[in-house]
């Protein structure tokens, strides 16, 4: 069995691109060309899993990453890992258990997905950035020195930030009417560097393919798209797509939190107070702290994102 690079969540937002990009990078590597790639998925029957399984050099295994143990990692000779954790309230318990298993198994390097850099602090009003801060603090501790790691702090994804704009356009194209307001998470004037998750995954693949990742150990890299977009600019894009003026716009819309709680958490034992704190994750973007100018120079040197907000909106409409 050869040394293995594990992609936990291979069919997810960012994991899919890691899985698609990494094999070609390994082929060109001086030291990693003999490494296997294993991708984890919760369902081998999913179309995404079946597509990824056709990529030469990639093996897809049905397993939830939260159940991965040190013994399993040793058995599969895992030496490097990509991990895109969930953002549910039990994230710290499950992700820290994974990193502990990686440490115990002798894994050499982990690339993980964090969240918007401006939010990753211990006093964040939203719960999930505090979790990412806590994970990064855990990995920075002396006890974890043997495990090298890089934390990627991407800005918000278009599937969240631009989804309501895409839905508004699609509805208008079907009905020819504007029967509701265009509701945007964005503030009217605050610039935000929305980033495509495929490009985040592409950058992660470049890190995993480094002959020696030591220079990236303990690094926290900020990823944004190449261009900022404001709420007013999103409205302009919508108007170009529908060929009409948007009659009513709601900026700084937080109604998505109601839907998140109602459809995902209402029937669980999760704290409503904790779940509703998600809305505060947008505060920093409204304050202008999430612009494209914050992108880390290492990102621009290795694999700079190129997809603009206009590109991302068109992709959501396909």
């Amino acid at each position: 069995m050869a040394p293995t690079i594990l992609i936990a969540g291979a069919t997810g937002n960012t994991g899919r691109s890691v899985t698609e990009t990494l094999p070609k990078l390994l082929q060109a590597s001086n030291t990693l060309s003999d490494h296997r790639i294993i991708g984890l998925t919760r369902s081998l029957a999913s179309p995404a899993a079946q597509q990824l399984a056709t990529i030469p050099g990639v093996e897809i295994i049905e397993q939830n990453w939260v159940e991965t143990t040190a013994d399993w990692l040793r058995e599969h000779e895992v030496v490097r890992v990509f991990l895109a954790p969930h953002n549910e309230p039990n994230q710290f318990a499950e992700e820290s258990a994974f990193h502990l298993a990686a440490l115990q198994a002798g894994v050499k390097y982990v690339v993980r997905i964090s969240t918007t850099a401006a939010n990753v602090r211990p006093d964040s009003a939203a719960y999930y950035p505090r979790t990412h801060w806590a994970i990064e603090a855990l990995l920075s501790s002396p006890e974890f020195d043997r495990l090298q790691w890089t934390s990627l702090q991407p800005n918000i994804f278009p599937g969240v930030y631009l989804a309501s704009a895409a839905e508004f356009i699609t509805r208008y194209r079907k009905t020819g009417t504007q029967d509701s307001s265009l509701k945007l998470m964005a503030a009217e004037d605050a610039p935000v560097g929305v980033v495509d998750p495929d490009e985040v995954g592409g950058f992660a693949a470049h890190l995993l393919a480094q002959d020696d990742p030591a220079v990236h150990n303990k690094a926290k890299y900020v990823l944004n798209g190449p261009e900022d977009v404001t709420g007013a600019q999103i409205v302009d894009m919508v108007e170009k797509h529908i060929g009409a003026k948007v009659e009513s716009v709601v900026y700084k819309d937080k109604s998505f939190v109601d839907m998140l709680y109602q459809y995902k958490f209402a029937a669980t034992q999760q704290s409503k107070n904790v779940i509703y704190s998600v809305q505060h994750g947008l505060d920093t973007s409204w304050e202008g702290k999430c612009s494209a100018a914050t992108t880390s120079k290492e990102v621009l040197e290795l694999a700079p994102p190129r997809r603009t907000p206009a590109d991302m909106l068109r992709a959501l409409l396909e």
Side-chain angles (χ1 to χ4, degrees):
M1 189 177 294
T4 298
I5 299 177
L6 180 69
I7 303 173
T11 57
N13 267 348
T14 51
R16 185 169 55 249
S17 180
V18 178
T19 311
E20 292 169 344
T21 306
L22 189 56
K24 293 180 181 178
L25 296 177
L26 294 188
Q27 289 174 10
S29 170
N30 294 323
T31 60
L32 304 174
S33 58
D34 64 336
H35 283 46
R36 300 186 310 154
I37 298 172
I38 291 179
L40 300 185
T41 179
R42 284 179 291 181
S43 173
L44 285 173
S46 73
Q50 292 178 0
Q51 185 273 321
L52 293 175
T54 66
I55 299 174
V58 173
E59 179 184 1
I60 302 297
I61 294 177
E62 187 172 277
Q63 177 166 311
N64 192 335
W65 67 266
V66 304
E67 303 300 335
T68 302
T69 64
D71 286 343
W72 189 95
L73 294 169
R74 289 192 202 96
E75 177 187 347
H76 291 82
E77 297 185 28
V78 175
V79 294
R80 298 187 182 188
V81 173
F82 170 80
L83 175 63
H86 60 74
N87 275 345
E88 296 186 12
N90 63 337
Q91 177 193 339
F92 182 83
E94 294 188 332
E95 187 181 352
S96 62
F98 181 92
H99 292 305
L100 180 59
L103 178 70
Q104 293 170 339
V107 172
K108 302 301 183 185
Y109 182 49
V110 173
V111 177
R112 67 177 296 275
I113 299 295
S114 180
T115 190
T116 306
N119 289 337
V120 183
R121 58 181 198 267
D123 63 342
S124 173
Y127 79 83
Y128 65 91
R130 295 196 304 270
T131 297
H132 285 291
W133 174 86
I135 289 290
E136 291 173 356
L138 175 142
L139 291 171
S140 298
S141 67
E143 291 82 358
F144 276 81
D145 274 348
R146 289 184 289 109
L147 178 62
Q148 297 187 78
W149 59 276
T150 305
S151 195
L152 306 188
Q153 299 177 333
N155 211 331
I156 197 163
F157 294 153
V160 176
Y161 207 65
L162 301 177
S164 61
E167 291 166 2
F168 187 92
I169 294 167
T170 301
R171 193 163 56 246
Y172 183 87
R173 286 174 174 175
K174 288 181 178 179
T175 67
T177 62
Q178 299 184 38
D179 54 2
S180 61
S181 298
L182 171 58
K183 296 181 178 180
L184 300 175
M185 295 179 182
E188 183 174 6
D189 298 320
V192 174
V194 183
V195 64
D196 191 302
D198 283 348
E199 297 193 305
V200 175
F203 177 70
H206 278 79
L207 290 176
L208 290 165
Q210 295 293 298
D211 288 334
D212 182 2
V215 68
H216 303 290
N217 185 30
K218 295 183 170 63
K220 303 168 190 177
Y221 293 144
V222 180
L223 295 97
N224 300 285
E227 294 179 8
D228 289 323
V229 67
T230 66
Q233 289 171 327
I234 296 173
V235 174
D236 288 342
M237 290 193 294
V238 170
E239 290 178 343
K240 289 178 181 177
H241 278 281
I242 67 175
K245 184 174 180 58
V246 174
E247 297 168 359
S248 175
V249 183
V250 178
Y251 294 108
K252 296 185 177 181
D253 177 61
K254 297 181 179 181
S255 60
F256 72 94
V257 183
D258 295 320
M259 291 185 287
L260 174 69
Y261 183 78
Q262 179 181 351
Y263 293 107
K264 188 171 183 178
F265 293 107
T268 72
Q269 298 296 314
Q270 301 291 354
S271 162
K272 187 175 183 179
N273 181 51
V274 169
I275 301 305
Y276 267 79
S277 74
V278 167
Q279 63 189 306
H280 294 294
L282 292 167
D283 293 349
T284 51
S285 69
W286 297 341
E287 294 165 359
K289 297 178 179 177
C290 303
S291 71
T294 62
T295 301
S296 297
K297 65 179 180 62
E298 292 83 359
V299 175
L300 301 177
E301 292 167 354
L302 273 181
R306 303 189 185 282
R307 295 175 191 168
T308 66
D311 295 333
M312 297 179 218
L313 181 57
R314 280 194 296 271
L316 290 174
L317 293 169
E318 292 175 355

